[in-house]
Amino acid sequence: MKKQVLSSVLCATMAAALLAGCGSTSTGSAAATSAAAAATSQAAAAATSAAAAATSAAAAATSAAAAASGSTIKVGFAQVGHESDWRTASTNSVQSALSKDNGFDLEFVDCDNDSAAQLQAVRQFIQDQVDYIVIDPIVSTGWDTVLGEAQDAGIPVVVIDRTIDDSDKYTAWVGSEFTNEGLAAGAWLKEYTEAKGIKDVNVLVISGTTGSSAQLGRSKGFDQYVTSEGWNKLDEQTGDFTQDGGQQVMESYCKSYQGKFNVVVCQNDNEAFGAEQAMDAAGVSYGVDGDVILISFDACTAGLTDVLAGKINADFQCNPLQGPDCAKIIKSLAAGQTVEKQTFMAEPWYVHDSDLTSITYTNNAGQSVTEDLVPVTQDIVDADY
Ligand code: GYE
């Protein structure tokens, strides 16, 4: 649990520093995202401070404009919960961007990973007659009725991070291409095992919250490689995106599959920390010098610290700093402008080894894309969220 405490402190600090240090692209094209991600990864550290400076200037201007007009935009935000370092960074990002100083009156609800509570929160926002509703949907379905209610009340909905897959009744979405993240893990594992001469690939997956678009996409993308490469996927059970969940699933895997696995894929960093604890206790070695290849997603500060230490072999970033884009979308709507329906975050691929420098893979849009593999350095860890 030491790691949980350390990482939330780091997240709070870094999220403030990195508020807008992440690229995003509103082309609506996943291919453009990957290209942008590659470019972003090259210049991440330098771009961060420039972007942070630009953000404070922009924030000051926005705040002055809001003060001058005297108008405040009332926003209700139904957040997933507080299950991971990623989530902490996401909450900090939205709260900082939709602050009073920036002209917002934010009603924040932590839904504690409870879908019924999240629907209830949205209905409460409608009753409270907020100007805009922001939702990070815990699961991807079950939304059409409540979004219809918001539409009837004339309240635009902005979706961030996870997607809503069974309704189109929202105005805009900003987040990640989760299937590409899963494909990334598969593409990297293929190249890595080939380079190391590992022929038998026996995989255990610890998945995220079942039915969340992050889980669905990462599983779908990775499974394409399981099938095409003929890997042996021994099991996939949910750790609910938490450290405790990851630890429990891994404890049971270590008993059931003792000596039979050489790859563990955790669908977020917190699950990976839990899996590490379970493997430590069971005497299983992992990481660059171990018997088990450990793959993770998110690439938060504590995750990249483990990549640098060689405990996690590869970590595929999912960028939580969506607050500035969310604020920009709402300000544009408030000014009567049209906005892009989809905005994709740029997301580098991080590794410990520097032998492989890039990978060409076919993304979810069917496009061939070359991604840089970024070897983690202390500077990258220090600039992370
Ligand atoms: O990967 C995980 C968090 O929705 C992308 O949720 C997000 C996921 C993220 O709990 O750490």
Side-chain angles (χ1 to χ4, degrees):
M1 299 307 141
K2 197 176 82 200
K3 185 165 267 162
Q4 266 172 345
V5 174
L6 172 72
S7 54
S8 50
V9 170
L10 286 171
C11 271
T13 319
M14 297 316 296
L18 283 174
L19 197 56
C22 49
S24 62
T25 171
S26 347
T27 60
S29 143
T33 304
S34 298
T40 305
S41 63
Q42 294 298 330
T48 298
S49 42
T55 306
S56 6
T62 313
S63 152
S69 73
S71 62
T72 298
I73 305 175
K74 198 170 173 194
V75 179
F77 174 31
Q79 172 64 295
V80 168
H82 49 273
E83 72 284 0
S84 63
D85 290 26
W86 192 101
R87 190 63 51 202
T88 305
S90 161
T91 295
N92 289 340
S93 176
V94 174
Q95 287 181 332
S96 310
L98 273 64
S99 65
K100 275 210 161 45
D101 282 352
N102 288 348
F104 295 95
D105 173 12
L106 181 65
E107 201 179 323
F108 173 83
V109 178
D110 175 335
C111 301
D112 201 16
N113 217 25
D114 177 341
S115 294
Q118 191 166 44
L119 290 175
Q120 177 51 35
V122 173
R123 292 202 160 96
Q124 189 61 49
F125 294 150
I126 297 171
Q127 264 189 21
D128 295 347
Q129 297 183 315
V130 299
D131 300 312
Y132 296 88
I133 293 173
V134 178
I135 303 172
D136 188 329
I138 297 169
V139 291
S140 65
T141 55
W143 286 101
D144 199 54
T145 307
V146 75
L147 291 189
E149 292 165 23
Q151 208 168 53
D152 291 346
I155 304 172
V157 170
V158 177
V159 179
I160 66 165
D161 170 29
R162 301 181 185 176
T163 54
I164 285 178
D165 297 338
D166 65 347
S167 178
D168 202 26
K169 295 175 186 150
Y170 60 88
T171 306
W173 165 85
V174 51
S176 309
E177 222 301 4
F178 298 116
T179 304
N180 280 352
E181 292 177 358
L183 287 168
W188 175 82
L189 184 60
K190 175 179 174 341
E191 297 287 336
Y192 187 80
T193 50
E194 282 174 8
K196 301 270 175 199
I198 300 169
K199 296 221 166 15
D200 286 333
V201 178
N202 298 301
V203 189
L204 287 168
V205 177
I206 304 180
S207 54
T209 299
T210 306
S212 66
S213 65
Q215 176 271 315
L216 294 167
R218 288 171 189 165
S219 294
K220 181 183 163 200
F222 186 74
D223 282 351
Q224 288 185 26
Y225 277 88
V226 171
T227 305
S228 66
E229 301 312 306
W231 294 334
N232 181 22
K233 190 167 91 174
L234 296 159
D235 211 338
E236 172 161 347
Q237 288 177 29
T238 183
D240 229 355
F241 283 135
T242 65
Q243 182 163 337
D244 280 355
Q247 184 174 356
Q248 279 168 29
V249 173
M250 198 64 230
E251 279 168 1
S252 115
Y253 281 168
C254 284
K255 288 186 194 127
S256 312
Y257 301 102
Q258 195 185 355
K260 294 185 179 142
F261 60 95
N262 57 356
V263 178
V264 171
V265 178
C266 295
Q267 286 188 350
N268 82 344
D269 285 337
N270 294 81
E271 290 181 340
F273 307 148
E276 287 174 11
Q277 285 179 310
M279 287 193 279
D280 286 342
V284 175
S285 66
Y286 53 88
V288 291
D289 296 322
D291 294 332
V292 172
I293 297 165
L294 183 56
I295 295 175
S296 185
F297 296 87
D298 280 2
C300 68
T301 301
L304 290 190
T305 302
D306 281 4
V307 178
L308 185 60
K311 292 176 166 187
I312 295 176
N313 297 69
D315 203 341
F316 299 90
Q317 191 183 68
C318 183
N319 193 329
L321 307 183
Q322 295 153 0
D325 279 310
C326 182
K328 199 169 132 204
I329 289 166
I330 293 174
K331 290 274 182 182
S332 300
L333 293 171
Q337 294 158 2
T338 50
V339 296
E340 294 288 342
K341 182 94 182 183
Q342 293 186 313
T343 302
F344 289 91
M345 306 300 291
E347 296 170 328
W349 301 4
Y350 291 108
V351 292
H352 178 89
D353 289 345
S354 52
D355 341 355
L356 289 168
T357 53
S358 68
I359 287 180
T360 300
Y361 82 118
T362 304
N363 71 11
N364 194 32
Q367 289 144 334
S368 179
V369 178
T370 299
E371 278 279 348
D372 286 338
L373 295 178
V374 184
V376 173
T377 61
Q378 190 60 49
D379 282 351
I380 290 177
V381 173
D382 292 343
D384 197 26
Y385 71 85

